[in-house]
Amino acid sequence: MYVRTVAAAAAVLGITLSALAGPASATAPSHRAAGPKAVPAAVRAPAPLAGPKAGPLTGLLGLPVVYAHRGASAYAPENTLASIDLAAHLGIDWVENDVQRTKDGVLVVVHDDTLKRTTDVRKVFPNRSPWRVKDFTAAEIARLDAGSWFRPEFAGARIPTLRQYMDRVERNQGRLLLEVKKPELYPGIERQILDLLDRTGWLDQRHVASRLVVQSFSADSVALVHKLRPDVVTAFLGAPPEEDLERYAAFSDRINPWFREISAEWVADVHALRGPHGRPMEVDTWIVDDPETTRRVVEMGVDGIITNAPDVVRRTVYGY
Ligand code: G3P
Ligand code: CA
């Protein structure tokens, strides 16, 4: 029933929203039909953006919000400025990232707790095994190439500091789903992240109301963020059983699960609870990159879809 309604809505929206989307549709790269690994031409030389494109249209009419996971990471190296610029060029305003900390206390945006997979660290620092993020200074990390592993044309992309990253999201007029990654490795990182967000203007009422969510796989970390800044929207990453959900509702506005772990019933159980801000709790699921799975989770009633291929998911849900 729900999926039929959504399908009908999407069919209509495919026309209506395409027309509304205007500039984003016009600038959308022509790679879309080629599949997630094709490289959009736009990424090679992203121009500064004049303002948000079609992104804010997602989330309308009860359809899920689309989040670009680690940026548009199917097409550009994850968690780099190129990946969030590309998300913006695709008209996706929400980006997701992962925040960790260097040896000298600088917040950086990188997913793994070692630098091996996504940089040339073994070549640049051959004697520093196991190449943990927390064992390198910010200056050392700034020397690493975080783009070549993905495609040669991204050579020279860097692991951004969170400060650099926030400035770019702001320039793109974007919104951020910020993950506190492995907080057990970085005591005090929650307060440090919030301090930086405050300094960069991201904790003012305008940002907190609609442009920022902080999430973590660590319930303790999410609870601490809520305690330090009760106004910030929070999310717990995972799929707790129905009987435990109420406990999370004390400090988490959302429960964000892997799509394979959920059902329509579980999503309804989450929606039946109210989070710390008095609103029904929401569900943003990950990582959904194909049309069939997209339709499946939409039918379950999720509120958001976190995806490496945000153009694919948006087209499936909204028709543009
Ligand atoms: O935002 C959800 C997702 O990022 C959780 O998994 O491993 O990609 O950080 P991971
Ligand atoms: Ca993440």
Side-chain angles (χ1 to χ4, degrees):
M1 169 64 179
Y2 183 76
V3 80
R4 277 201 302 277
T5 308
V6 169
V12 174
L13 291 167
I15 299 166
T16 310
L17 294 186
S18 293
L20 286 172
S25 296
T27 58
S30 59
H31 73 285
R32 288 179 175 177
K37 285 297 171 194
V39 181
V43 79
R44 294 186 198 117
L49 297 173
K53 308 257 173 117
L57 295 176
T58 79
L60 290 180
L61 303 176
L63 296 171
V65 174
V66 179
Y67 297 85
H69 180 246
R70 309 181 198 172
S73 59
Y75 314 115
E78 64 185 54
N79 279 327
T80 61
L81 299 184
S83 75
I84 60 174
D85 284 346
L86 181 54
H89 276 270
L90 290 169
I92 301 296
D93 55 346
W94 278 101
V95 293
E96 188 261 7
N97 74 3
D98 304 281
V99 178
Q100 300 189 61
R101 192 168 64 203
T102 65
K103 184 178 176 182
D104 52 342
V106 177
L107 298 171
V108 287
V109 179
V110 60
H111 178 271
D112 298 4
D113 60 5
T114 75
L115 298 157
K116 282 183 296 189
R117 182 177 61 86
T118 59
T119 76
D120 58 350
V121 70
R122 282 175 287 195
K123 195 173 84 189
V124 180
F125 297 103
N127 303 319
R128 299 276 294 274
S129 173
W131 300 286
R132 289 189 200 96
V133 172
K134 70 190 189 75
D135 294 338
F136 284 77
T137 65
E140 289 170 339
I141 286 178
R143 290 174 54 193
L144 302 176
D145 177 352
S148 293
W149 71 275
F150 187 82
R151 282 186 194 280
E153 58 263 46
F154 291 103
R158 301 294 165 194
I159 289 178
T161 64
L162 182 59
R163 174 72 210 221
Q164 292 166 337
Y165 189 97
M166 298 311 302
D167 288 347
R168 189 60 67 95
V169 179
E170 185 65 37
R171 188 202 75 170
N172 291 349
Q173 298 185 32
R175 310 180 202 219
L176 177 61
L177 174 56
L178 184 156
E179 181 180 342
V180 185
K181 179 57 84 184
K182 302 213 171 165
E184 64 279 9
L185 298 177
Y186 310 105
I189 194 170
E190 296 84 0
R191 188 182 291 276
Q192 191 179 355
I193 289 171
L194 290 170
D195 283 349
L196 188 143
L197 291 175
D198 201 11
R199 285 199 306 278
T200 51
W202 275 76
L203 292 186
D204 67 15
Q205 200 274 335
R206 192 169 56 90
H207 286 79
V208 165
S210 61
R211 291 178 64 182
L212 177 69
V213 178
V214 177
Q215 66 174 359
S216 182
F217 282 102
S218 161
D220 289 345
S221 189
V222 179
L224 180 55
V225 168
H226 176 66
K227 184 174 165 199
L228 293 170
R229 282 296 301 224
D231 52 337
V232 169
V233 176
T234 54
F236 172 69
L237 281 160
E242 192 271 334
E243 61 270 23
D244 292 347
L245 289 173
E246 200 165 349
R247 190 162 62 81
Y248 292 86
F251 55 82
S252 190
D253 298 276
R254 304 177 182 184
I255 306 285
N256 292 354
W258 188 30
F259 77 90
R260 291 191 191 282
E261 296 183 328
I262 60 172
S263 63
E265 292 69 30
W266 184 87
V267 173
D269 287 339
V270 177
H271 286 163
L273 293 166
R274 288 186 182 272
H277 297 101
R279 294 191 291 272
M281 292 179 80
E282 298 186 6
V283 174
D284 298 333
T285 193
W286 42 275
I287 301 295
V288 175
D289 289 344
D290 65 275
E292 187 189 333
T293 311
T294 299
R295 285 189 280 272
R296 193 142 49 89
V297 298
V298 169
E299 188 172 9
M300 288 180 196
V302 302
D303 305 281
I305 300 174
I306 302 167
T307 171
N308 299 322
D311 55 337
V312 172
V313 170
R314 184 185 56 196
R315 189 167 59 245
T316 305
V317 177
Y318 293 87
Y320 72 93

